Amino acid sequence: NTVTEKLFQSPSKYIQGPAAIKNAPKYLGQLGNTALLIADDNVYKIAGTALTQSLESAGLKVAYVRFNGEASADEIARVRDVGTQNKVDYVIALGGGKTIDTAKAVADKLNVPSAVLPTTASTDAPCSALSVIYTPHGEFDSYSFFNKNPTVVLVDTSIVAKAPARFLSAGIGDALATHVEAREVRTATNFGGGLPTLLAGAISAKCEEILFKYGKLAYEHNKVGAITPALEAVVEANTLLSGLGFESGGLAAAHAIHDGLTALEPTHKMMHGEKVNFGTVCQLILSNSSAEEMDKYMELMVSVDLPITLKQLGVTDVTPEELRHVAELACSGNETIWNLPYVINIDLVYNAIVGADAAGHDFLRRKGIK
């Protein structure tokens, strides 16, 4: 590594709170007069119509395009064409991780700012200057990197609190990987091409602290739609702290193994953070974590219904050859696993996956969970 500069990047503005979407014109109006709004049908009914009315009542124009469900190159090209036709000044992402990844890629291709309005706290996608691109069939394709982070990230916790609690749980799974990975890769370059700052390390550590303090509590509050200080804290950890922590701190094996797992058809029904969560168990194995430390993490994971075995990921019938293929994909040339400062190869990763599955089953057996 010949890089000597440290680098930290982030959105220009982050806003979070109950009914925050009502103030959307105040924050989005600064980006221009005409917006391209990307949302799927369900999200548009839940929040899109109200957002559109709010912006239009402030004299702003909105061109709505329906998101078709996959953050693929074809979908990005289709949505970009709608933006070009409408001569938009900026792009609004309203929805979950794949909607957000698509919108950020479209904004980059149109060379306009993006505003991200997540309706769940299920991933750390909102704040970053990158998108995860998938094939039209849902398999991991590549990372796409952009010159700018979103200009505005606005999180309305009254909308997030209405989403099924599984979304928050998946976000905890994604966010729990942040510090586990970042602490291992402090000498590797981050997504901005620089070394991690002390701030990035402090943010990832704070993210993990909040999840252990309030994760289970927030999950239970989300189940009943209660907007509480605990829920607000975990939404911020999942969205802002994890987003800043992973992008400027760096990723490692947990996310690389997630990418490999997408090759197994049954995992397509699982959420991003659920697959990452199993990857975190694998990362802990590769990092030679003690039994006590493994139990500490799995205790939190199980308390918010995150998967810690392949069976819980829906993978009930898998061959050693298929798992070796997952390990091969996790060790692809451009994968984040190569940020790790120790020896990595396909055999080591394959054995970490098998070992993580065994550790997960053992934990469930000891806790009397079937």
Side-chain angles (χ1 to χ4, degrees):
N1 187 357
T2 57
V3 176
T4 55
E5 298 91 0
K6 293 183 178 183
L7 185 148
F8 181 85
Q9 60 193 83
S10 67
S12 301
K13 244 178 208 149
Y14 179 88
I15 306 105
Q16 177 186 312
I21 209 164
K22 289 179 182 174
N23 292 319
K26 173 182 171 184
Y27 298 108
L28 304 188
Q30 302 166 17
L31 305 182
N33 290 319
T34 305
L36 179 68
L37 172 62
I38 304 170
D40 65 32
D41 284 342
N42 286 339
V43 167
Y44 189 74
K45 285 174 197 162
I46 293 165
T49 48
L51 174 63
T52 300
Q53 286 166 5
S54 175
L55 293 172
E56 287 179 345
S57 65
L60 303 169
K61 293 178 185 173
V62 179
Y64 166 60
V65 59
R66 182 169 69 91
F67 175 55
N68 283 336
E70 199 53 77
S72 66
D74 290 349
E75 179 70 352
I76 290 162
R78 181 187 73 84
V79 176
R80 177 203 60 203
D81 290 345
V82 177
T84 303
Q85 289 160 16
N86 287 275
K87 296 178 179 171
V88 299
D89 299 311
Y90 63 103
V91 176
I92 302 172
L94 182 69
K98 291 192 176 184
T99 304
I100 292 165
D101 280 346
T102 301
K104 287 191 291 186
V106 169
D108 183 71
K109 290 189 181 301
L110 294 173
N111 197 27
V112 297
S114 62
V116 176
L117 282 68
T119 50
T120 68
S122 60
T123 76
D124 52 19
C127 292
S128 71
L130 67 91
S131 289
V132 184
I133 309 301
Y134 294 86
T135 68
H137 305 294
E139 294 178 12
F140 172 78
D141 183 6
S142 61
Y143 287 106
S144 194
F145 301 95
F146 315 125
N147 292 325
K148 292 180 288 189
N149 292 68
T151 306
V152 175
V153 177
L154 189 150
V155 186
D156 188 324
T157 44
S158 45
I159 294 172
V160 171
K162 290 191 184 93
R166 183 184 175 189
F167 287 95
L168 188 78
S169 168
I172 292 170
D174 203 13
L176 198 55
T178 305
H179 189 54
V180 173
E181 291 184 290
R183 69 189 181 190
E184 298 288 331
V185 297
R186 285 173 180 154
T187 57
T189 50
N190 58 28
F191 283 104
L195 294 170
T197 59
L198 296 173
L199 177 62
I203 287 172
S204 69
K206 189 68 179 177
C207 176
E208 180 172 282
E209 179 191 320
I210 290 167
L211 297 177
F212 275 101
K213 270 188 180 177
Y214 302 113
K216 168 65 170 167
L217 205 55
Y219 181 55
E220 296 304 323
H221 294 168
N222 193 172
K223 285 179 182 177
V224 294
I227 306 166
T228 62
L231 182 69
E232 290 279 0
V234 172
V235 169
E236 186 177 335
N238 286 7
T239 312
L240 180 61
L241 277 68
S242 181
L244 300 182
F246 98 76
E247 183 171 37
S248 290
L251 297 181
H255 276 79
I257 289 168
H258 159 276
D259 297 341
L261 286 168
T262 65
L264 301 177
E265 180 71 32
T267 69
H268 293 186
K269 296 173 186 163
M270 306 303 291
M271 297 182 74
H272 169 81
E274 292 169 336
K275 286 174 276 195
V276 169
N277 191 75
F278 181 75
T280 299
V281 182
C282 299
Q283 174 72 72
L284 291 166
I285 296 280
L286 286 169
S287 302
N288 198 22
S289 300
S290 68
E292 291 77 19
E293 187 175 26
M294 294 284 299
D295 277 6
K296 171 188 154 189
Y297 282 96
M298 288 192 287
E299 187 82 50
L300 173 59
M301 293 166 175
V302 169
S303 77
V304 294
D305 297 321
L306 283 167
I308 59 170
T309 66
L310 290 167
K311 183 180 178 183
Q312 289 180 326
L313 278 175
V315 182
T316 53
D317 187 19
V318 66
T319 65
E321 291 73 26
E322 286 171 323
L323 285 185
R324 186 164 287 278
H325 182 55
V326 170
E328 286 168 358
L329 292 171
C331 293
S332 298
N334 58 351
E335 264 297 354
T336 55
I337 200 163
W338 300 111
N339 289 334
L340 289 167
Y342 41 79
V343 173
I344 286 293
N345 59 44
I346 292 165
D347 283 342
L348 287 169
V349 176
Y350 167 77
N351 282 286
I353 293 169
V354 174
D357 187 50
H361 279 289
D362 175 62
F363 183 84
L364 296 175
R365 187 166 54 247
R366 283 186 284 120
K367 295 292 176 180
I369 301 167
K370 291 182 181 178

